[in-house]
């Protein structure tokens, strides 16, 4: 019975509900988007300080459902939805949107993808080459695409046993040392935590098997994305479901030095999305400009009329220090 209520909440909150009104009843492929500023004041305290945010809208029928985010240049973003479509856009300091490009991701056989075959949940982009890595739930694979997102260069299945459909790879980050960490949303009903993997090589290409470990979220909810921080640690986005608000988003950091075979890794909370801005945040990206570190979050609207595609910007300030090598106390 304990799992019935969370399951019902997930069905109602993070997926289209039968009988509800959906966006875009008719197909429109107009390559346009706009950003509407959110009326919420900037914060001046805490480690995670809200700066500004926008509601992203477009007449394009495939715009939305964003579950992965990358900051690819000054004011430039790549967003990927769990419907198998990508969106590139530029956003200037005034909130004006330009250079919008919305297109389908490539597929293995060249045919239009069904959601079950293109359910992208996480992404990272190589800054030097522009190549893009995607984590796909359902098919349990990691893909490497070219910089134009027109070709699948490599793909690799996650190791057996297979992570359950809709509970598989949800968050992924490339670390500064070249390793890649992949977190499941809710795989392996293990008392130690949720199953996760760390790869020493390219996770989309043949190579050494990844190392399995477990993540104990400490009641923060299920992971919805991850991003590498400049200091080498991993930022984790957690989604906790309830009734008022439906979504609580908690941000924490974890030290990859704690990751070892079958180890239990824990994190430390640094902040949360303010209650008035509550939404289904599934994409995260980190950018560094003039010595300042920014966190970007994007929400998945599930193509429901009652949800919003929000893009938020936070500044990360005075994060908790990294553990010293001789520290034996687990992060909390």
């Amino acid at each position: 019975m304990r799992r019935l209520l969370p399951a019902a909440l997930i069905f109602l909150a993070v997926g289209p509900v039968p009988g509800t009104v959906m966006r875009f009843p008719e197909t429109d492929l107009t390559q346009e988007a706009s950003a509407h500023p959110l009326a919420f004041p900037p914060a001046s305290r805490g480690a995670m300080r809200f700066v500004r945010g926008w509601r992203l809208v477009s007449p394009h029928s495939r715009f939305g459902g964003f579950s992965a985010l990358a900051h690819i240049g000054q004011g430039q973003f790549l967003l990927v939805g769990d419907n198998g479509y990508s969106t590139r856009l530029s956003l200037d300091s005034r909130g004006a949107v330009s250079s919008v490009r919305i297109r389908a991701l490539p597929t293995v056989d060249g045919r239009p993808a069904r959601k079950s075959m293109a359910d992208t949940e996480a992404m990272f982009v190589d800054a030097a080459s522009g190549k893009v890595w995607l984590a796909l739930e359902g098919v349990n694979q990691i893909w490497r695409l070219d910089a134009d997102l027109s070709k699948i260069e490599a793909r690799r299945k996650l190791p057996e046993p297979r992570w359950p459909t809709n509970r598989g790879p949800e968050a992924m980050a490339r670390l500064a040392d070249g390793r890649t960490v992949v977190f499941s949303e809710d795989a392996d009903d293990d008392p130690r935590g949720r199953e996760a993997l760390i790869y020493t090589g390219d996770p989309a290409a043949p190579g050494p098997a990844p190392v399995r470990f477990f993540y104990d979220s400490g009641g923060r909810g299920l992971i919805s994305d991850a991003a590498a921080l400049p200091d080498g640690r991993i930022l984790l986005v957690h989604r906790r479901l309830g009734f008022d608000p439906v979504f609580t988003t908690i941000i924490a950091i974890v030290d990859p030095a704690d990751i070892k075979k079958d180890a239990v890794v824990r994190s430390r909370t640094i902040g949360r999305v303010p209650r008035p801005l509550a939404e289904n945040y599934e994409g995260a990206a980190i950018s560094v400009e003039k010595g300042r570190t920014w966190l970007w979050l994007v929400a998945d609207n599930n193509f429901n009329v009652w949800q919003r595609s929000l893009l938020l910007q936070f500044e990360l300030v005075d994060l908790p220090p990294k553990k010293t090598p001789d520290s034996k106390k687990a992060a909390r």
Side-chain angles (χ1 to χ4, degrees):
M1 288 294 293
R2 287 186 305 144
R3 297 183 68 91
L4 292 180
L5 179 57
L9 285 172
I10 290 172
F11 176 76
L12 291 172
V14 300
V17 180
T20 60
V21 177
M22 299 292 294
R23 300 179 190 270
F24 312 120
E26 297 182 3
T27 300
D28 186 335
L29 302 181
T30 303
Q31 297 283 330
E32 293 179 1
S34 58
H36 302 271
L38 302 177
F40 192 78
S44 58
R45 301 176 59 185
M48 176 179 147
R49 303 177 183 179
F50 176 75
V51 177
R52 54 186 175 169
W54 303 266
R55 180 179 182 180
L56 304 178
V57 297
S58 171
H60 197 290
S61 303
R62 306 297 184 260
F63 182 91
F66 300 125
S67 55
L69 172 68
H71 182 273
I72 54 177
Q74 181 69 36
Q76 299 176 51
F77 298 91
L78 172 63
L79 308 96
V80 177
D82 55 16
N83 62 346
Y85 274 73
S86 68
T87 297
R88 292 184 189 268
L89 58 82
S90 296
L91 182 68
D92 70 15
S93 59
R94 298 174 292 107
V97 176
S98 61
S99 305
V100 178
R101 186 184 186 190
I102 305 167
R103 60 187 297 202
L105 294 172
T107 58
V108 174
D109 58 11
R111 293 183 296 178
R114 303 186 305 275
K115 177 177 168 58
S116 62
M117 301 298 293
D119 187 355
T120 301
E121 294 293 337
M123 165 179 61
F124 68 82
V125 179
D126 179 69
S129 66
K131 294 181 185 294
V132 178
W133 280 256
L134 304 176
L136 287 85
E137 197 173 53
V139 295
N140 277 288
Q141 294 181 9
I142 308 297
W143 291 3
R144 185 182 74 235
L145 276 59
D146 65 344
D148 193 48
L149 297 179
S150 61
K151 178 183 178 182
I152 302 171
E153 295 185 342
R155 59 189 178 99
R156 180 180 178 183
K157 289 185 177 181
L158 273 66
E160 298 292 341
R162 180 185 176 90
W163 283 353
T165 301
N166 295 327
R167 291 162 57 191
E170 188 73 18
M172 179 173 63
R174 167 67 59 84
L175 306 183
D177 60 11
R179 293 181 296 167
T180 298
V181 63
V182 181
F183 293 87
S184 72
E185 181 178 25
D186 195 17
D188 197 350
D189 191 8
D190 191 294
R192 291 173 290 182
R194 304 304 192 270
E195 190 172 317
L197 303 168
I198 187 163
Y199 292 79
T200 56
D202 184 344
V211 171
R212 182 186 72 163
F213 65 99
F214 295 90
Y215 174 65
D216 179 1
S217 70
R220 297 176 182 87
L222 301 180
I223 288 180
S224 61
D225 207 5
L229 290 166
D231 66 6
R233 288 181 288 182
I234 307 167
L235 179 140
L236 298 177
V237 182
H238 302 78
R239 175 179 58 196
R240 192 168 66 197
L241 300 175
F243 291 103
D244 187 20
V246 174
F247 303 101
T248 297
T249 302
I250 300 172
I251 309 299
I253 52 177
V254 68
D255 194 334
D258 295 332
I259 299 176
K260 297 176 178 63
K261 181 177 173 58
D262 292 331
V264 177
V265 175
R266 298 180 177 87
S267 61
R268 184 169 182 176
T269 298
I270 61 169
R272 61 181 63 200
V273 173
R275 185 187 180 98
L277 301 176
E279 249 305 343
N280 181 35
Y281 294 98
E282 290 203 24
I286 297 292
S287 65
V288 179
E289 300 169 19
K290 298 181 180 179
R292 303 171 74 178
T293 302
W294 311 100
L295 165 64
W296 303 87
L297 296 176
V298 71
D300 176 0
N301 66 358
N302 292 299
F303 297 97
N304 282 323
V305 295
W306 60 275
Q307 291 185 259
R308 301 167 293 171
S309 295
L310 300 186
L311 177 65
L312 306 185
Q313 181 185 17
F314 296 85
E315 184 174 11
L316 301 182
V317 180
D318 297 329
L319 295 179
K322 297 177 68 174
K323 292 187 297 179
T324 57
D326 59 349
S327 174
K328 295 183 179 180
K329 184 176 180 181
R332 296 292 178 185

